[in-house]
Amino acid sequence: MPSRGTLSVAVVGTGKMGADHVRRIQRVISGARVTAVVDLDEERAEALAATMDGCRAYTEPVAAMAAPDVDAVLIASPGPAHEAALLEALDRDLPVLCEKPLTPDAASALRVLEAERRLGHRRIQVGFMRRYDAEYAELKRLLDGGELGRALMLHHRHRNPSMPPWFTNEMLINDSVVHEMDVTRWLLGQEITAVTVLKPAPSSYAPEGMDDPQLVLFETESGALVDVEIFGHCGNGYQVRAEAVCERGTVRIGDEGGPRVSADGRWGGRVTPDYLERFADAYDRQVQAWVDATRRGEVTGPSVWDGYAAAAVCEAGVSAQREGRRVEVEMIERPAFYA
Amino acid sequence: MPSRGTLSVAVVGTGKMGADHVRRIQRVISGARVTAVVDLDEERAEALAATMDGCRAYTEPVAAMAAPDVDAVLIASPGPAHEAALLEALDRDLPVLCEKPLTPDAASALRVLEAERRLGHRRIQVGFMRRYDAEYAELKRLLDGGELGRALMLHHRHRNPSMPPWFTNEMLINDSVVHEMDVTRWLLGQEITAVTVLKPAPSSYAPEGMDDPQLVLFETESGALVDVEIFGHCGNGYQVRAEAVCERGTVRIGDEGGPRVSADGRWGGRVTPDYLERFADAYDRQVQAWVDATRRGEVTGPSVWDGYAAAAVCEAGVSAQREGRRVEVEMIERPAFYA
Amino acid sequence: MPSRGTLSVAVVGTGKMGADHVRRIQRVISGARVTAVVDLDEERAEALAATMDGCRAYTEPVAAMAAPDVDAVLIASPGPAHEAALLEALDRDLPVLCEKPLTPDAASALRVLEAERRLGHRRIQVGFMRRYDAEYAELKRLLDGGELGRALMLHHRHRNPSMPPWFTNEMLINDSVVHEMDVTRWLLGQEITAVTVLKPAPSSYAPEGMDDPQLVLFETESGALVDVEIFGHCGNGYQVRAEAVCERGTVRIGDEGGPRVSADGRWGGRVTPDYLERFADAYDRQVQAWVDATRRGEVTGPSVWDGYAAAAVCEAGVSAQREGRRVEVEMIERPAFYA
Amino acid sequence: MPSRGTLSVAVVGTGKMGADHVRRIQRVISGARVTAVVDLDEERAEALAATMDGCRAYTEPVAAMAAPDVDAVLIASPGPAHEAALLEALDRDLPVLCEKPLTPDAASALRVLEAERRLGHRRIQVGFMRRYDAEYAELKRLLDGGELGRALMLHHRHRNPSMPPWFTNEMLINDSVVHEMDVTRWLLGQEITAVTVLKPAPSSYAPEGMDDPQLVLFETESGALVDVEIFGHCGNGYQVRAEAVCERGTVRIGDEGGPRVSADGRWGGRVTPDYLERFADAYDRQVQAWVDATRRGEVTGPSVWDGYAAAAVCEAGVSAQREGRRVEVEMIERPAFYA
């Protein structure tokens, strides 16, 4: 089936995550544009819409979804607002990307699930974005590949420098550990069957009444054991790590240096096979930077002077290579034009 | 100045790099589309154009640049064809991103330089994409920051698993080491003044007549000394590394684990400060994947079942946290619909 | 108090560990010699004693301890034999280094403890050798230093490639995890107050009836939480790691690369400050190798030819440095004598 | 041939290195003792001799070598004094360990070489101690093993935090780079045939008149190319690194984390195979510490209390393991005796 044209997206919720998704759709990725933004705060929605050609502001998701120029919905509003928006989108058979949590509790999630089943085809993707992280993807590939045998244990570390003051003990589970719940289920291809939470004496930097850090234990259908260190106020950077302990080796991600496998008496990682992989991001950023500057009417990046200088040094280099001696580079003086 | 609308780009040359740039503009980055592809091989150009709405094929750059729906040109044809295309683009005052080399020698590069100066404003960016690599950018930032003092030496390593059979000794300089020439000039903010090339006994895996590896030495205006190991047939992966030796410390990039600074009696790197930086790529890939699947009429990624399961595990987790005991997860059976 | 002369040691038990301690005392460390070896297997004891001047074999610890040329006792017999030997040594007021476990259970350990108290001064050191490992010592120093705040959690990993066939579930605790028990107590300066053992579905490489791996949890007096992954059949190398999670940072040991601190937004380690520290082991090994070879009547290691060649290259190097040019090394032909 | 008894060593020169070797022989290694110390500074020699039983002080090497209780000589005096002492030792057919340099120049080294040839058997070992470093030894083993093919290039880094004020340009070669000269010859099994020295603009922290850093290039018999960065005032710690670039892979030592091989599309290192290797140093240090303390009449290290506590925790652990529940540890109160 051929691709449709550019996808017209309504972004529901224009807080930190919503605004970031708007930026992403408009400035980073290809094939979509934002044609509607929705926020209870009308002014905020209007202000954001005004930065984009052909984008309208709404205060109600239902109104945005009814607009003729909306093909799909990205929900980034607070969790309690998700159920209504999701049901509305299913009613209209619109594709949805819904920030996690799907809904704040299992009962409401079940209502959404039933609605999608009644519709008869999947329309909703949940925003568990770790599945799109290169290292988690590599870990999944290694586990699925089977060379390391079955995964027996997972050790997760999830550390934040600090948490906002309104963060609660429950939110450590619902907003933070929920990511480890999802990647555990995804990595192992199994459901979690029981949970235990252990609380050491809290850090003196944890807010009054918060048990921080905690060690959360999961058991899974086939008996794998999973521990999650969740630390909300580690006072250092943001650290997300995982180690899979398998029958024939271990894999660690989130450390410095990419996935690290330990097996067969060796530890280490993969050497990037070629320049297109090694510099994939650089190529993408280069062309994006060129497009962005050009659209602003500007020229940035390496100039003709840089191209000329490289050519002059290459000529000296090839002479030096041929003649086996030191060769001085000959160049014109740098024109003020390229200063 | 507000952004113009979507940039319409003519891609000149549809070989490996040109085709990859087409993919990048159409599928990865935002704000541009390909409206023209140019190749002497008419069939190849037609075939590629046919995959994109509103894109025409040409055999001559001049014809594509004359088209009313072309705002900018990306040149990815062989080096000898660059000069004519660049001069044509300057004549038409079109913005250009030109794959390296700008032109194959200094004399022709100088003619392009003169033409741009006559035009009176910059229009050409050269494709030295390493400047857009995150690690090189961090190295530049550290050198410019000045805490490590002046850079005294740079050690570069540039290793390819192997080279195509038509690769020559001169191409090791012109096509490979040229990258180190540019990043050296850019990192140090200085011109290179002399070049020496040293040749150890070649590897037995190097083709007959090729001196591989080589050690290329640069001297710069202010007396910095730069060595480049260029190894075309290292038989391992692709490895690009650089180490700056400064007055008060050293920085290494391209190894496992991101930029590594050694100074003040410590070695190490930066901890990612927050989740938006740590998972920036995952967020981008997630939304791109959703847009791409939606445009194909598909649904992929985490499902409502995943959202429901996470909610159920969270509920068990919060109970376990509150009650200080192991809590079993309660879930409905997985519907076949989500199998 | 000035040092006594060379210490005369009786080694009780001449199995794997006992024989290794004999080698260590005779060949590696200074200030002691083995004057008695004890083993129920008389032939084994005799054979070992015969390799050392002035060493006698015994079948009973009591007889060895009564010998006039025994100043101290190293106990490396099986655990059940320890109590009797320890009580005998205390009776004779002899210094003891006792391989772990002190005794196989708490009741017998308490009897030894009471005997030492009655004696009125300490005589017994227990062989928890991890306290002498450079990385554990550095971790202890960092925790005691206090810059990272209080330790909230410890994560231990203890993996063996495989276990002997007679190893039992209980031995995973008593012979393996006992090391983590001791280092936890030592690192935190606290007693352990409770233990929990969790068992994932075992590896298919674990012997019938053994739960392998296991996750052992300790709670400590001040509420620190400690987890130990014990894995007896990991199928890879021997891996012992620890990570301390403190209020202001984390420290990891046992990974590649020495203690790694993560704090203040940076991760990394210490650069060795000088050559005496960097090459301390090389200096020790060099002189030991020279002494050993000389005692065997041999000469090994770098020769006069190596010293001459270095001098010749140095002369070329200093000329090259002074004159700014390539200087060839002048040497005589290598005499057959140094071939 | 059976080992002789304890080797009686005369140490010539009691400066920094000489005193350290005395400490090493007396306190660290086995099988030797210092029976003579020699220094022009009579008081210093006397003071050092007085710390050791059966050790005499001398001001002339010849007198010490004539003493009946001297079996071997360790020369750690300044380089210009080496030739006379070496010739004297050869005259007396005494085994020698001579600190580098053998002698200060090639002509005098040649005289020593001729004297040893006339003697007809080797007696002198030169103190190039890097050959005894575990990582250099592993690198040598890997190069000799041949799996990586022939070594094409070596990159050495040799950085000191700073140099004493009397250090000269020539000493950078003769006292520092001389180590890279020796390990290059040893690692490659070839002589060095030519040397070039390149000097970037010096660091502003280098003393007036010193070119620091420098890049020293060696060529070898079979055409390998070697570069050495020597940096005397790097302002950071002491860093000695080497990278061998071979036909089928590279090996790096001196970085964090032990020898690192990059080959076959993977980078990484070896997992320690067992606990005797992993904790070899800890075992050695433990027994040395016990011997040292015992000779001082002291008891240090883990106590009976530690042994008892471990036994008590083990009992709780085994119960917890058997019963699948949290088990509290039962212990007597810690006696003041073990406080």
Side-chain angles (χ1 to χ4, degrees):
Chain A
M1 174 182 177
S3 256
R4 282 195 250 166
T6 300
L7 194 71
S8 297
V9 179
V11 175
V12 178
T14 63
K16 183 177 177 187
M17 281 310 302
D20 197 50
H21 280 305
V22 166
R23 176 193 62 77
R24 181 168 291 112
I25 293 170
Q26 296 293 99
R27 306 288 303 270
V28 181
I29 68 155
S30 73
R33 68 185 160 192
V34 178
T35 51
V37 291
V38 184
D39 209 294
L40 282 177
D41 180 338
E42 191 167 358
E43 270 183 59
R44 185 158 73 173
E46 296 281 5
L48 185 57
T51 66
M52 295 175 278
D53 282 348
C55 178
R56 287 189 54 191
Y58 300 84
T59 56
E60 291 301 325
V62 59
M65 293 189 215
D69 62 348
V70 165
D71 301 330
V73 186
L74 193 162
I75 299 179
S77 50
H82 287 192
E83 182 181 359
L86 288 163
L87 295 176
E88 180 70 28
L90 289 175
D91 261 6
R92 294 179 180 278
D93 203 5
L94 285 172
V96 180
L97 175 58
C98 180
E99 266 300 316
K100 59 97 199 165
L102 180 68
T103 64
D105 55 65
S108 52
L110 203 49
R111 289 192 292 269
V112 174
L113 187 152
E114 292 300 343
E116 192 178 45
R117 281 176 78 184
R118 278 195 304 272
L119 178 62
H121 49 245
R122 283 190 56 199
R123 271 292 173 247
I124 298 172
Q125 172 172 341
V126 183
F128 288 125
M129 89 294 170
R130 284 200 194 170
R131 300 191 187 188
Y132 294 91
D133 177 64
E135 293 201 48
Y136 275 104
E138 173 74 0
L139 174 54
K140 171 103 174 119
R141 200 190 60 71
L142 283 163
L143 294 182
D144 288 350
E147 312 106 65
L148 299 175
R150 192 162 36 88
L152 304 166
M153 295 202 268
L154 299 178
H155 305 299
H156 294 285
R157 306 288 164 256
H158 187 157
R159 297 173 187 146
N160 290 270
S162 65
M163 291 298 201
W166 37 265
F167 223 79
T168 64
N169 249 358
E170 288 73 22
M171 293 174 81
L172 282 180
I173 302 292
N174 288 328
D175 289 66
S176 296
V177 178
V178 66
H179 282 294
E180 275 76 23
M181 292 170 177
D182 183 64
V183 291
T184 294
R185 297 177 58 253
W186 177 65
L187 288 170
L188 302 184
Q190 295 174 47
E191 297 300 340
I192 293 168
T193 56
V195 184
T196 309
V197 178
L198 302 174
K199 302 173 188 168
S203 167
S204 57
Y205 297 91
E208 185 65 29
M210 177 174 282
D211 298 301
D212 188 31
Q214 301 183 22
L215 191 74
V216 182
L217 301 166
F218 304 150
E219 301 163 42
T220 76
E221 285 172 326
S222 80
L225 185 63
V226 180
D227 58 275
V228 184
E229 176 202 319
I230 174 70
F231 195 174
H233 301 78
C234 81
N236 194 8
Y238 178 73
Q239 297 160 277
V240 168
R241 293 183 186 145
E243 181 175 34
V245 180
C246 303
E247 293 178 308
R248 301 319 283 162
T250 56
V251 190
R252 229 162 57 183
I253 63 165
D255 272 328
E256 317 76 38
R260 188 166 296 200
V261 176
S262 191
D264 299 323
R266 309 272 313 159
W267 60 265
R270 196 176 66 109
V271 180
T272 313
D274 64 26
Y275 68 94
L276 282 181
E277 176 176 331
R278 168 66 180 84
F279 286 115
D281 286 347
Y283 279 113
D284 292 352
R285 279 195 205 101
Q286 172 190 246
V287 179
Q288 185 73 67
W290 173 66
V291 165
D292 290 348
T294 301
R295 293 173 75 197
R296 288 192 313 268
E298 295 175 9
V299 181
T300 59
S303 69
V304 168
W305 175 256
D306 296 311
Y308 163 70
V313 179
C314 276
E315 291 193 358
V318 169
S319 295
Q321 186 188 53
R322 273 194 199 129
E323 300 166 22
R325 62 177 185 88
R326 175 178 178 275
V327 174
E328 298 199 356
V329 177
E330 288 181 34
M331 288 171 58
I332 64 165
E333 202 151 327
R334 186 172 186 139
F337 183 75
Y338 292 108
Chain B
M1 174 183 177
S3 257
R4 282 195 251 169
T6 300
L7 193 72
S8 298
V9 179
V11 175
V12 177
T14 62
K16 183 177 177 187
M17 282 308 304
D20 196 51
H21 281 306
V22 166
R23 176 195 62 78
R24 181 168 290 112
I25 292 170
Q26 295 294 99
R27 306 286 305 269
V28 182
I29 68 156
S30 74
R33 69 185 160 192
V34 177
T35 52
V37 290
V38 184
D39 208 294
L40 282 178
D41 180 337
E42 191 167 358
E43 272 184 57
R44 184 158 73 173
E46 295 281 4
L48 186 57
T51 66
M52 296 175 277
D53 284 347
C55 178
R56 288 188 54 192
Y58 301 84
T59 55
E60 290 300 324
V62 60
M65 293 189 216
D69 63 348
V70 165
D71 301 331
V73 186
L74 193 161
I75 298 178
S77 49
H82 286 193
E83 181 180 359
L86 287 163
L87 294 177
E88 181 69 28
L90 289 175
D91 261 6
R92 296 180 180 277
D93 204 5
L94 285 173
V96 180
L97 175 59
C98 179
E99 265 300 317
K100 59 98 198 164
L102 180 67
T103 64
D105 55 64
S108 52
L110 202 50
R111 288 193 292 269
V112 174
L113 186 153
E114 291 300 342
E116 191 178 48
R117 282 176 77 185
R118 276 194 306 273
L119 178 63
H121 49 247
R122 283 190 54 197
R123 271 290 174 247
I124 299 171
Q125 172 171 342
V126 183
F128 288 125
M129 88 295 169
R130 285 201 194 169
R131 301 191 187 189
Y132 294 91
D133 177 66
E135 292 201 49
Y136 275 104
E138 173 72 1
L139 174 54
K140 170 103 174 121
R141 199 191 60 71
L142 283 163
L143 295 182
D144 289 350
E147 313 104 65
L148 299 176
R150 192 160 38 87
L152 304 167
M153 295 203 267
L154 299 179
H155 304 300
H156 294 285
R157 306 288 164 256
H158 187 157
R159 297 172 188 147
N160 289 271
S162 64
M163 292 298 202
W166 37 265
F167 223 79
T168 64
N169 248 357
E170 288 72 23
M171 293 174 82
L172 282 180
I173 301 292
N174 287 328
D175 287 67
S176 295
V177 179
V178 67
H179 282 293
E180 275 74 23
M181 291 170 177
D182 184 63
V183 291
T184 294
R185 297 177 59 253
W186 176 65
L187 288 170
L188 302 183
Q190 295 173 46
E191 297 301 341
I192 292 168
T193 55
V195 184
T196 309
V197 178
L198 302 174
K199 302 172 189 168
S203 168
S204 57
Y205 297 91
E208 185 65 30
M210 177 174 283
D211 298 302
D212 187 31
Q214 302 183 21
L215 191 74
V216 182
L217 302 167
F218 305 149
E219 301 163 42
T220 75
E221 284 173 326
S222 79
L225 186 63
V226 179
D227 57 276
V228 184
E229 176 202 318
I230 174 70
F231 195 174
H233 300 77
C234 80
N236 193 9
Y238 178 74
Q239 296 160 278
V240 168
R241 294 185 186 143
E243 181 175 34
V245 180
C246 303
E247 293 179 309
R248 303 317 285 162
T250 55
V251 190
R252 229 162 57 183
I253 64 166
D255 273 326
E256 316 77 41
R260 188 166 295 200
V261 176
S262 190
D264 300 322
R266 308 272 312 159
W267 60 266
R270 195 176 67 109
V271 181
T272 313
D274 64 26
Y275 68 94
L276 281 181
E277 176 176 332
R278 167 66 179 84
F279 286 114
D281 286 346
Y283 279 113
D284 293 351
R285 279 195 205 102
Q286 171 189 246
V287 178
Q288 185 73 67
W290 174 65
V291 166
D292 290 348
T294 301
R295 291 172 76 196
R296 289 193 311 270
E298 295 175 9
V299 181
T300 59
S303 70
V304 168
W305 174 256
D306 296 311
Y308 163 70
V313 180
C314 277
E315 290 192 1
V318 170
S319 294
Q321 185 187 57
R322 273 195 198 128
E323 300 166 24
R325 61 177 185 91
R326 174 177 177 277
V327 173
E328 298 198 357
V329 176
E330 289 181 32
M331 288 172 58
I332 65 166
E333 202 149 327
R334 187 172 185 139
F337 183 76
Y338 292 108
Chain C
M1 175 182 178
S3 257
R4 283 195 251 168
T6 300
L7 194 71
S8 296
V9 179
V11 175
V12 178
T14 62
K16 183 176 178 188
M17 281 310 302
D20 196 51
H21 281 305
V22 167
R23 178 194 61 79
R24 182 168 289 113
I25 291 171
Q26 295 295 100
R27 306 286 305 270
V28 181
I29 68 155
S30 74
R33 68 184 160 194
V34 177
T35 52
V37 291
V38 184
D39 208 295
L40 283 178
D41 180 337
E42 192 168 359
E43 271 184 58
R44 185 158 72 174
E46 295 281 5
L48 186 57
T51 65
M52 296 175 278
D53 283 348
C55 178
R56 288 189 54 193
Y58 300 83
T59 56
E60 289 302 323
V62 60
M65 293 188 215
D69 62 347
V70 165
D71 301 331
V73 187
L74 193 161
I75 299 178
S77 50
H82 286 193
E83 182 180 359
L86 288 163
L87 295 176
E88 181 69 28
L90 289 176
D91 261 5
R92 296 178 180 277
D93 203 7
L94 286 171
V96 181
L97 175 58
C98 180
E99 265 300 316
K100 60 99 198 161
L102 180 66
T103 64
D105 55 64
S108 52
L110 203 49
R111 289 192 292 269
V112 174
L113 185 152
E114 292 300 342
E116 192 178 47
R117 281 176 77 184
R118 276 195 306 273
L119 178 62
H121 49 244
R122 284 190 55 198
R123 272 291 174 246
I124 299 171
Q125 173 172 340
V126 184
F128 288 126
M129 88 295 168
R130 284 200 195 168
R131 299 191 188 190
Y132 294 90
D133 176 65
E135 293 200 51
Y136 275 104
E138 173 75 1
L139 174 54
K140 170 102 174 122
R141 200 190 60 69
L142 283 163
L143 294 181
D144 288 351
E147 313 105 65
L148 299 176
R150 191 160 38 85
L152 305 166
M153 295 202 266
L154 298 179
H155 305 300
H156 295 286
R157 305 288 164 258
H158 187 157
R159 296 172 188 148
N160 290 271
S162 65
M163 292 298 201
W166 37 265
F167 222 78
T168 64
N169 248 358
E170 288 73 23
M171 293 175 81
L172 283 179
I173 301 292
N174 288 327
D175 288 68
S176 296
V177 178
V178 66
H179 282 294
E180 275 74 24
M181 290 170 178
D182 183 65
V183 293
T184 295
R185 296 177 58 252
W186 176 65
L187 289 169
L188 301 184
Q190 296 174 47
E191 297 300 341
I192 293 168
T193 55
V195 184
T196 309
V197 178
L198 302 174
K199 302 172 189 168
S203 167
S204 56
Y205 297 91
E208 184 65 30
M210 179 175 281
D211 298 301
D212 187 31
Q214 302 184 20
L215 191 74
V216 182
L217 302 167
F218 305 150
E219 301 163 42
T220 76
E221 284 172 327
S222 81
L225 185 63
V226 179
D227 57 275
V228 184
E229 176 202 319
I230 174 69
F231 194 174
H233 301 77
C234 81
N236 193 8
Y238 178 73
Q239 296 161 277
V240 167
R241 294 184 186 144
E243 181 174 35
V245 180
C246 303
E247 293 178 310
R248 303 316 283 161
T250 56
V251 190
R252 229 162 56 181
I253 63 165
D255 272 329
E256 315 77 39
R260 190 166 295 200
V261 176
S262 190
D264 299 323
R266 308 273 311 161
W267 61 266
R270 194 176 68 109
V271 181
T272 312
D274 63 29
Y275 69 94
L276 281 181
E277 176 175 332
R278 168 66 180 84
F279 286 115
D281 286 346
Y283 279 113
D284 293 353
R285 278 194 205 104
Q286 172 190 245
V287 179
Q288 185 72 66
W290 175 65
V291 165
D292 290 349
T294 300
R295 293 173 76 197
R296 289 192 312 268
E298 296 175 9
V299 182
T300 58
S303 70
V304 169
W305 174 256
D306 296 311
Y308 162 70
V313 180
C314 276
E315 290 192 1
V318 169
S319 294
Q321 186 188 55
R322 272 195 199 126
E323 299 165 23
R325 62 179 184 89
R326 176 177 176 275
V327 174
E328 298 198 358
V329 176
E330 288 182 32
M331 287 172 60
I332 64 165
E333 203 150 324
R334 187 171 186 140
F337 183 76
Y338 293 107
Chain D
M1 173 182 179
S3 256
R4 282 195 254 168
T6 300
L7 194 71
S8 296
V9 180
V11 174
V12 177
T14 63
K16 184 178 178 186
M17 281 310 302
D20 197 51
H21 281 306
V22 167
R23 176 194 62 78
R24 182 167 289 113
I25 292 170
Q26 296 293 99
R27 306 286 305 270
V28 182
I29 68 156
S30 74
R33 68 185 161 193
V34 177
T35 52
V37 291
V38 184
D39 209 295
L40 284 178
D41 181 337
E42 191 167 359
E43 271 184 59
R44 185 157 71 172
E46 296 280 6
L48 187 56
T51 65
M52 295 176 277
D53 283 349
C55 178
R56 288 189 54 192
Y58 301 83
T59 55
E60 289 301 324
V62 61
M65 293 189 215
D69 63 345
V70 164
D71 301 331
V73 186
L74 193 162
I75 299 178
S77 50
H82 287 192
E83 182 180 0
L86 289 164
L87 294 177
E88 181 69 28
L90 289 176
D91 260 5
R92 295 177 180 278
D93 203 6
L94 285 172
V96 180
L97 175 59
C98 179
E99 266 300 316
K100 60 97 199 164
L102 180 68
T103 64
D105 54 64
S108 51
L110 202 49
R111 289 191 293 269
V112 174
L113 185 152
E114 292 299 342
E116 192 177 45
R117 282 176 76 184
R118 277 193 306 273
L119 178 62
H121 49 245
R122 283 190 56 198
R123 271 292 174 245
I124 299 171
Q125 173 171 340
V126 184
F128 288 126
M129 88 295 169
R130 283 199 194 170
R131 300 192 187 189
Y132 294 90
D133 177 66
E135 293 201 49
Y136 275 104
E138 173 74 1
L139 174 53
K140 170 103 175 120
R141 200 189 60 71
L142 283 164
L143 295 182
D144 288 351
E147 313 104 65
L148 299 176
R150 191 161 36 87
L152 304 167
M153 295 202 266
L154 298 179
H155 305 300
H156 295 285
R157 306 288 165 256
H158 188 157
R159 296 172 188 147
N160 289 270
S162 64
M163 291 299 201
W166 38 265
F167 222 79
T168 64
N169 247 357
E170 287 73 22
M171 294 174 79
L172 283 179
I173 302 292
N174 287 328
D175 288 68
S176 297
V177 178
V178 67
H179 281 294
E180 275 75 23
M181 291 171 178
D182 184 64
V183 292
T184 294
R185 296 178 58 253
W186 176 66
L187 288 170
L188 301 184
Q190 296 174 46
E191 298 299 340
I192 294 168
T193 55
V195 184
T196 309
V197 178
L198 302 174
K199 302 172 188 167
S203 167
S204 57
Y205 296 91
E208 184 66 29
M210 178 174 281
D211 297 302
D212 189 29
Q214 301 184 20
L215 190 74
V216 182
L217 302 168
F218 305 149
E219 302 163 42
T220 76
E221 285 172 327
S222 80
L225 185 63
V226 179
D227 57 277
V228 184
E229 177 203 319
I230 175 68
F231 195 174
H233 300 79
C234 81
N236 194 7
Y238 178 73
Q239 297 160 276
V240 168
R241 293 183 188 147
E243 181 175 35
V245 180
C246 303
E247 293 178 309
R248 302 319 282 162
T250 56
V251 190
R252 229 162 58 183
I253 63 165
D255 271 329
E256 314 77 39
R260 189 166 295 201
V261 176
S262 191
D264 299 323
R266 309 273 311 160
W267 60 266
R270 194 176 67 109
V271 181
T272 313
D274 63 27
Y275 68 94
L276 282 181
E277 176 175 332
R278 168 64 179 86
F279 286 115
D281 287 346
Y283 279 113
D284 293 352
R285 279 194 205 103
Q286 172 190 245
V287 179
Q288 186 72 67
W290 174 66
V291 166
D292 291 348
T294 301
R295 293 173 74 197
R296 289 192 313 267
E298 295 176 9
V299 181
T300 58
S303 69
V304 169
W305 175 255
D306 296 311
Y308 164 70
V313 180
C314 276
E315 291 192 0
V318 170
S319 295
Q321 187 187 53
R322 274 197 197 124
E323 300 166 23
R325 62 176 184 91
R326 175 178 177 275
V327 174
E328 299 200 356
V329 176
E330 287 181 34
M331 288 171 59
I332 64 165
E333 202 149 327
R334 185 173 187 139
F337 183 76
Y338 292 107

